[in-house]
Amino acid sequence: QVQLVESGGGLVQAGGSLRLSCAASGIILRINRMGWYRQAPGKERDLVATITSGGTTNYADSVKGRFLISSDAENTAYLQMNSLKPEDTAVYYCNALGWRLWWGQGTQVTVSS
């Protein structure tokens, strides 16, 4: 059983920063990719950023230059979010791709104008 636990969400003013963390625990043989997605009320869950085990990153156009995804050797992924905008408000979910895809429970990020 693999669990992903997100943390770091909260309320921030526009222009501020937050750092999200996603810790993977359990029987993990290999994680090939970790990612962050977000879902705003009434909208679909969309890609924010992904990072492979080799360090290759991919970002949604809407966050390029503002968000930075990283990971460490302890199967933890991070999302540094800078210059936050009200439209970044959403529940942020992390996932991990190994022999199957796992999802975390989500963490709320609210950006006030």
Side-chain angles (χ1 to χ4, degrees), residues 9-80:
L11 174 64
V12 65
Q13 288 188 331
S17 298
L18 283 174
R19 189 189 194 212
L20 306 182
S21 298
C22 173
S25 63
I27 303 174
I28 302 171
L29 297 179
R30 177 180 173 85
I31 293 180
N32 297 308
R33 189 188 71 214
M34 296 188 77
W36 288 96
Y37 290 72
R38 66 187 181 186
Q39 187 168 19
K43 296 188 177 181
E44 295 184 351
R45 190 174 298 186
D46 292 326
L47 167 74
V48 176
T50 62
I51 184 167
T52 69
S53 58
T56 300
T57 58
N58 180 49
Y59 295 91
D61 288 343
S62 59
V63 306
K64 284 180 180 177
R66 300 188 298 123
F67 290 11
L68 179 67
I69 189 171
S70 61
S71 62
D72 63 23
E74 303 302 319
N75 292 322
T76 298
Y78 305 93
L79 186 69
Q80 178 65 45

Side-chain angles (χ1 to χ4, degrees), residues 2-6 22-25 31 34 94-96 102-105:
V2 174
Q3 285 188 317
L4 300 180
V5 179
E6 299 110 330
C22 173
S25 63
I31 293 180
M34 296 188 77
C94 76
N95 72 11
W102 292 276
W103 287 92
Q105 81 288 351

Side-chain angles (χ1 to χ4, degrees), residues 80-96:
Q80 178 65 45
M81 304 186 294
N82 301 320
S83 302
L84 283 161
K85 304 175 181 180
E87 51 264 44
D88 294 318
T89 295
V91 177
Y92 283 70
Y93 299 89
C94 76
N95 72 11

